[in-house]
Amino acid sequence: MPTIAIVGRKNVGKSSIFNRLIGKRVSIVHSEPGITRDRLYGEVLWQGKIFNIIDTGGFFPDEDDILANKITRQIEMALKEANLIYFVVDAKSGLLPADELICNNLRPLNKEIFLLVNKVDNQKDSLKVYEFSKLGITRTFAVSAEAGKGFGEVLDETAKILHDVKVVKEEKIIKILILGRPNAGKSTLLNTILNQERAVVDDTPGTTRDLVSARFEYKDKKFEIIDTWGMKRRASIKNPIEFYSMMRVMRVIDEIDIAVIIFDVFEGVVNEDLHIAALVLSKAKGMVIAPNKIDLLKKSALSRVILSTRNSFDFIDFVPVIPISAKRGIGIEHLLNTILMVYEESGKIANKKTLKTIVTNLKPPPRGAVLKIVQSNKRPPIFQVNITASIKENYIKYLRHTLRNYFGFQGVPILIKTKVVKKGS
């Protein structure tokens, strides 16, 4: 699929344009420069054509610290993938030396460039568009990401250049979300699975600000894996950017199939990890727990890690625990196989005859009886239980445990809905 890369210096509105074009908020938008650090992928559908679009981190050319160099590497990788470049500048600040330097770096690539002059919100701003003619880019567009102006023309011209692309119906993509506290190894895990540097990895906790996603194939199945900002307790959130990052993660949980909960074995399981697991459980999503950095442990300690992890997450004892080293690639294939297994488990349909047998053999609830159990849904599995009297949570746990003993559903929450009916109805 043809690809567009959005590039430009910091705070010119690249992420706002990205969000506008894909039709949802994926990149964090904030007045503080340099929020986007990784390269973020989305899809744009226009006039029956579909193409990838990549948001990249902005940069000031004179920066030379380790993190800035890694962000620049992300930009270079995006440009290498791109068939078309959206070079974004800011009408309100006018043409700056940094814009000219970026333009000079883009020319040797010999790729089609669209100059998007952003923040053209009024007549005064539109007069400044001509200032950017010094860059010598023929296809120049005045746009406003905030107001949504000018993008029809941009996309029309894009469709002409990327003319050989048509919409194709894709098969199901299994969505994996990596969750954990800051610096647990989430971005390293994503990069290791993809065998490329898609997320910026740095020793500073909280390097990933946006949701970083990528697609890959494994055992003839298509996957999308999403790296997230390190989750914290609300009381520990210190600024709006962290708050928006956490809200973005909470919303995306609704859209995924499997969550991988990762933690550092040397820090152990803490309350934040349990809170993350409880959040995923409340959304009824499949889970795998991945204790990370086992390459630094003695072999004799590995079995203790599994046992202590199960003890810590005792409220989700149905979830597989797969120790890994994201950095060394240890246990990654086992993790992927387990993710695939959990996904298949979530799609199970319980045998109707077996459900009738279960009803016959159940221990009856106090002052009532179970008349019927039917599975009403999958992913997640939902069971409708007809009973003659209301039941307490302990009996629901007993039903859930019984269903799991018969059918498995490993790594998948089982939802039970009860309906009080009269016997014989």
Side-chain angles (χ1 to χ4, degrees):
M1 190 186 299
T3 298
I4 303 161
I6 304 176
V7 299
R9 58 183 173 81
K10 292 180 178 180
N11 218 29
V12 294
K14 297 184 300 300
S15 294
S16 295
I17 289 172
F18 177 82
N19 290 336
R20 172 69 64 178
L21 292 175
I22 69 171
K24 57 183 179 180
R25 284 184 174 269
V26 174
S27 281
I28 298 169
V29 179
H30 195 268
S31 58
E32 178 185 327
I35 298 304
T36 301
R37 296 174 175 180
D38 310 292
R39 59 194 203 278
L40 310 176
Y41 285 65
E43 291 181 352
V44 179
L45 177 63
W46 184 256
Q47 294 183 347
K49 299 178 182 179
I50 191 167
F51 31 83
N52 287 327
I53 190 162
I54 312 173
D55 184 20
T56 64
F59 66 96
F60 291 125
D62 57 353
E63 287 186 347
D64 192 31
D65 60 68
I66 294 174
L67 186 56
N69 290 336
K70 289 184 177 182
I71 294 169
T72 300
R73 173 64 178 152
Q74 292 288 314
I75 298 170
E76 291 171 350
M77 293 171 76
L79 289 171
K80 187 176 180 181
E81 287 185 58
N83 305 100
L84 172 64
I85 299 167
Y86 286 174
F87 174 26
V88 183
V89 292
D90 184 341
K92 295 192 184 301
S93 61
L95 180 63
L96 299 181
D99 298 318
E100 296 181 272
L101 183 55
I102 294 168
C103 187
N104 291 337
N105 289 332
L106 294 177
R107 290 189 193 284
L109 299 175
N110 292 319
K111 296 190 176 185
E112 194 73 47
I113 302 172
F114 284 6
L115 181 66
L116 273 58
V117 184
N118 191 30
K119 306 183 185 179
V120 180
D121 300 319
N122 51 49
Q123 186 64 31
K124 182 180 178 182
D125 295 331
S126 64
L127 296 175
K128 294 184 178 181
V129 173
Y130 301 102
E131 182 180 340
F132 294 92
S133 62
K134 296 177 183 178
L135 296 174
I137 298 175
T138 306
R139 288 186 170 90
T140 299
F141 304 87
V143 300
S144 171
E146 185 174 339
K149 296 178 182 176
F151 291 103
E153 185 183 357
V154 173
L155 291 171
D156 283 342
E157 291 302 310
T158 299
K160 290 177 185 177
I161 289 176
L162 307 178
H163 54 82
D164 58 340
V165 188
K166 297 294 180 183
V167 176
V168 291
K169 187 176 180 180
E170 292 194 2
E171 62 185 89
K172 167 65 181 176
I173 296 173
I174 302 168
K175 291 189 175 183
I176 306 165
L177 184 67
I178 307 173
L179 290 169
R181 288 178 288 126
N183 222 28
K186 298 181 298 298
S187 297
T188 303
L189 176 58
L190 178 138
N191 290 336
T192 299
I193 289 174
L194 298 176
N195 198 27
Q196 61 170 303
E197 191 175 339
R198 275 292 290 273
V200 174
V201 179
D202 190 78
D203 291 333
T204 305
T207 303
T208 300
R209 297 278 186 86
D210 291 292
L211 298 177
V212 181
S213 67
R215 291 184 179 181
F216 68 98
E217 290 191 17
Y218 182 74
K219 292 191 173 179
D220 298 323
K221 299 286 186 182
K222 292 186 177 181
F223 293 83
E224 180 178 357
I225 187 166
I226 307 166
D227 181 21
T228 61
W229 175 76
M231 295 187 73
K232 302 178 181 179
R233 291 181 293 110
R234 292 202 180 202
S236 302
I237 295 173
K238 299 176 181 177
N239 57 60
I241 296 166
E242 290 185 347
F243 174 78
Y244 295 141
S245 295
M246 190 182 76
M247 291 298 101
R248 192 76 42 81
V249 173
M250 293 180 73
R251 285 198 299 269
V252 82
I253 292 174
D254 290 323
E255 303 172 8
I256 58 102
D257 298 295
I258 310 291
V260 176
I261 300 172
I262 185 172
F263 68 92
D264 184 332
V265 292
F266 288 94
E267 294 186 9
V269 179
V270 299
N271 285 335
E272 284 94 330
D273 300 310
L274 302 180
H275 174 72
I276 291 168
L279 179 61
V280 177
L281 180 63
S282 72
K283 304 283 188 178
K285 301 297 181 178
M287 281 181 273
V288 180
I289 301 171
N292 189 27
K293 306 183 184 180
I294 62 167
D295 55 305
L296 304 177
L297 290 175
K298 293 180 179 179
K299 288 185 179 180
S300 59
L302 187 56
S303 60
R304 293 199 298 273
V305 167
I306 296 174
L307 181 60
S308 65
T309 300
R310 291 193 185 281
N311 288 338
S312 297
F313 290 97
D314 58 352
F315 65 101
I316 48 170
D317 56 0
F318 57 90
V319 174
V321 176
I322 311 297
I324 64 167
S325 168
K327 188 174 183 179
R328 302 297 179 191
I330 300 169
I332 301 303
E333 186 172 1
H334 189 192
L335 176 63
L336 290 173
N337 287 334
T338 303
I339 289 169
L340 188 54
M341 179 273 293
V342 170
Y343 179 75
E344 290 170 350
E345 288 282 299
S346 70
K348 272 185 178 178
I349 298 294
N351 181 274
K352 292 180 180 179
K353 288 184 178 180
T354 306
L355 286 173
K356 288 180 180 179
T357 301
I358 291 173
V359 171
T360 302
N361 296 330
L362 276 174
K363 177 180 69 176
R367 299 180 300 279
V370 176
L371 302 179
K372 187 178 181 181
I373 301 176
V374 294
Q375 184 175 353
S376 59
N377 201 5
K378 61 180 183 178
R379 297 196 175 103
I382 301 175
F383 290 87
Q384 178 75 46
V385 181
N386 289 356
I387 53 177
T388 59
S390 60
I391 54 177
K392 294 183 177 180
E393 180 62 28
N394 283 344
Y395 194 80
I396 291 176
K397 287 181 180 178
Y398 163 67
L399 288 174
R400 193 178 288 121
H401 180 72
T402 302
L403 290 169
R404 201 175 293 284
N405 282 343
Y406 272 88
F407 302 111
F409 293 114
Q410 190 175 3
V412 184
I414 297 173
L415 303 186
I416 292 179
K417 296 183 177 180
T418 60
K419 183 180 180 182
V420 178
V421 298
K422 291 181 179 180
K423 198 167 185 177
S425 61

